[in-house]
Amino acid sequence: MFCNQCGGEVPAGVGFCPNCGAPVEQPQQPQQPQYAQPEPQYQQPQYPQPEPQYQQPVYAQPVAPVGDPQERALAKSILVFGILAIAFACSYYVAFMGIVFGAITSGKVKQYAAMYPIAGKAKTGSILGKIGLILGIVFTVLSLITIIACSVASCSSGSSSYYYY
């Protein structure tokens, strides 16, 4: 704002010019009409707490495997052969493979038992191997009986002298 008498600059809110001392008229603020309503003022919502700071999670160190690596490998092979014994024993015409895998499992269990106490995978594989061996024997006998019965039936029907046209 400037003085009307001397033209010097007058700071806002001062009643007299600092250069000449003349009274300075304050500019009047334009008034809003009576009927106009003030515009609503929107404010940014205030959060009671600052935004959470995210940090990289801290993970525990990996645990080293417990036990002898040879023991774990032998227990794993016992489990695999036990599963194979069950799988082949349940198939009807190759049930004899369940007997084979069950016998292999029994041999590995004896080798394992000589060095370590039987537990965990080795115990599970041992049980599966025994079940596979028993099922293999049962289904092999049943399949042999079926094969023999079918052979006898086909041979006896072929010797008939009556032909049906």
Side-chain angles (χ1 to χ4, degrees):
M1 172 161 133
F2 296 97
C3 178
N4 292 337
Q5 297 293 324
C6 66
E9 190 173 339
V10 179
V14 176
F16 296 96
C17 176
N19 292 332
C20 66
V24 179
E25 293 181 21
Q26 295 293 329
Q28 293 185 2
Q29 298 286 335
Q31 294 182 355
Q32 292 182 350
Q34 295 283 344
Y35 57 86
Q37 294 182 1
E39 293 182 23
Q41 294 184 3
Y42 297 102
Q43 295 181 353
Q44 194 77 322
Q46 298 294 321
Y47 296 103
Q49 300 176 10
E51 293 284 327
Q53 299 293 326
Y54 295 103
Q55 298 178 352
Q56 181 72 20
V58 179
Y59 298 106
Q61 295 296 324
V63 179
V66 180
D68 183 20
Q70 182 181 2
E71 175 188 4
R72 289 193 315 270
L74 188 56
K76 185 177 177 181
S77 69
I78 291 170
L79 182 61
V80 168
F81 280 113
I83 292 170
L84 287 173
I86 289 280
F88 279 105
C90 291
S91 59
Y92 196 70
Y93 290 106
V94 288
F96 66 91
M97 291 299 293
I99 297 171
V100 172
F101 284 119
I104 292 172
T105 305
S106 296
K108 288 192 171 282
V109 167
K110 287 180 184 175
Q111 179 186 359
Y112 186 88
M115 296 183 287
Y116 312 105
I118 297 179
K121 291 179 186 177
K123 187 173 186 176
T124 305
S126 172
I127 293 168
L128 290 176
K130 289 175 186 174
I131 293 171
L133 185 65
I134 293 168
L135 286 177
I137 291 169
V138 169
F139 284 127
T140 300
V141 169
L142 288 175
S143 65
L144 287 175
I145 290 171
T146 304
I147 291 170
I148 291 170
C150 288
S151 297
V152 168
S154 68
C155 289
S156 67
S157 68
S159 64
S160 175
S161 62
Y162 296 106
Y163 293 107
Y164 296 98
Y165 292 98

